[in-house]
Each structure stands twice: as C-alpha cells, then as structure tokens.
Amino acid sequence: MKKTQLSTTLTHYNADGSELSELDRRLVERAKKITQTSYAVYSHFHVGAALLLENGEIVCGSNQENAAYPAGTCAERTAIFYANSSRPDVAPVAIAVAAWREEDQEFLDNPISPCGVCRQVLVETEKRYGRPIRVLLYGRNGIFEVETASALLPLRFDSDAL
Ligand SMILES: [Zn+2]
C-alpha cells in the first residue's frame, strides 16, 4: 500500500488589498462591483467574478439564476464563457470572486470558493490556453490566492482520460 498526500497552498492577504498588486486590487474591485448585476431572486446570494485576460483586459460576470434551477449559472462560468466567446484567442490568467447575502447587505466575512462545476470549467480553460489561472477569493476578513485553478481540483477528470 502507498499513500499520496495532495495539498493546495493558499496565500492570505489583507482584505483591503494593500498587499496585492495594483492590477489584482483592480480585479478584486471589479468582482465586487459586478455582484450588483447578479440575478439571484432565489438564493439571494449575489456573486461576482472578474477574469483577467493576458492582454490586461478584465471580463466580468455575475450569477444568473432561473426558476428551473439547473438552467442558471454561476458568476465564474458567466465570466469565463463570455471571455471565451468574445475573446477566444486571449488566455485568461486570473479570476477574482466576491459574494454577499441579501440579508447581510455586505460582503461575506470569509472568501467563497468556486463550486465544483466552475472548478471543472476553470481547469479546462487552463488546459485550453496552456496557461494557469490564478484564483483570488475575496472576504471581508481577507483575500485568499491560489496559484492555479487546477490546485482547487485535485484528481480531476479531464480530456486526457478520453
Ligand atoms: Zn460555480
């Protein structure tokens, strides 16, 4: 028998972004801002994602819900699919995510992380462009950074298996 340890490293930054680069700070701010366009009439959970492309452009998305729940989509996938369809030749290199609950009217204390489906899409996007996507997760208590989306999805299923 043999055991393998799989680990993911999180870098913690101050919530005010003072330890981030100017560009990353802007990316987090854009993720926070785009939560305002969220259509979250069922969950009342407003999520924003800002995707930094290799050309410096930032593409944003928010969660868009539907009465038929699976028809809705998360902020991360809204941003990624919008970028992939509008800028198919430009690799995404980082994504920031922020969220708030309607009942609180302020951003979550602790960062939320992309759901499993979004992680799968982020990993496919990394593979498609051959570039890692850094992940920045905003919370009022701090910002987490993960160097690659793949690190959020160990033992993943991908096209190598097909
Ligand atoms: Zn998701």
Side-chain angles (χ1 to χ4, degrees):
M1 186 184 79
K2 182 181 158 194
K3 290 188 180 183
T4 302
Q5 174 105 26
L6 303 172
S7 65
T8 299
T9 302
L10 288 180
T11 305
H12 299 239
Y13 296 105
N14 292 333
D16 64 7
S18 59
E19 299 169 310
L20 298 178
S21 68
E22 167 72 33
L23 192 55
D24 282 353
R25 205 161 38 243
R26 189 144 47 97
L27 194 63
V28 169
E29 287 309 311
R30 292 285 300 274
K32 290 165 73 176
K33 188 173 179 192
I34 200 70
T35 62
Q36 297 298 327
T37 69
S38 163
Y39 180 68
V41 293
Y42 303 105
S43 71
H44 308 289
F45 191 72
H46 300 261
V47 186
L51 195 66
L52 175 66
L53 307 184
E54 63 182 346
N55 64 1
E57 201 174 345
I58 294 175
V59 173
C60 298
S62 57
N63 54 325
Q64 302 295 317
E65 297 180 351
N66 193 283
Y69 287 6
T73 191
C74 303
E76 297 92 325
R77 276 178 288 146
T78 303
I80 292 166
F81 291 151
Y82 175 50
N84 288 353
S85 55
S86 60
R87 314 280 190 279
D89 300 324
V90 187
V93 293
I95 188 168
V97 182
W100 51 279
R101 284 186 206 96
E102 237 163 68
E103 65 197 56
D104 300 333
Q105 287 296 311
E106 57 190 355
F107 288 99
L108 301 178
D109 286 340
N110 297 312
I112 54 155
S113 193
C115 77
V117 177
C118 288
R119 291 178 193 208
Q120 187 73 36
V121 169
L122 281 162
V123 167
E124 177 105 10
T125 306
E126 284 184 331
K127 191 167 183 156
R128 172 177 172 176
Y129 292 96
R131 296 278 302 263
I133 300 174
R134 278 185 312 113
V135 182
L136 289 161
L137 307 171
Y138 174 79
R140 294 195 308 135
N141 290 337
I143 298 168
F144 293 164
E145 180 190 55
V146 182
E147 284 300 320
T148 71
S150 298
L152 290 175
L153 196 61
L155 288 181
R156 64 195 153 273
F157 176 83
D158 68 22
S159 59
D160 291 344
L162 298 174

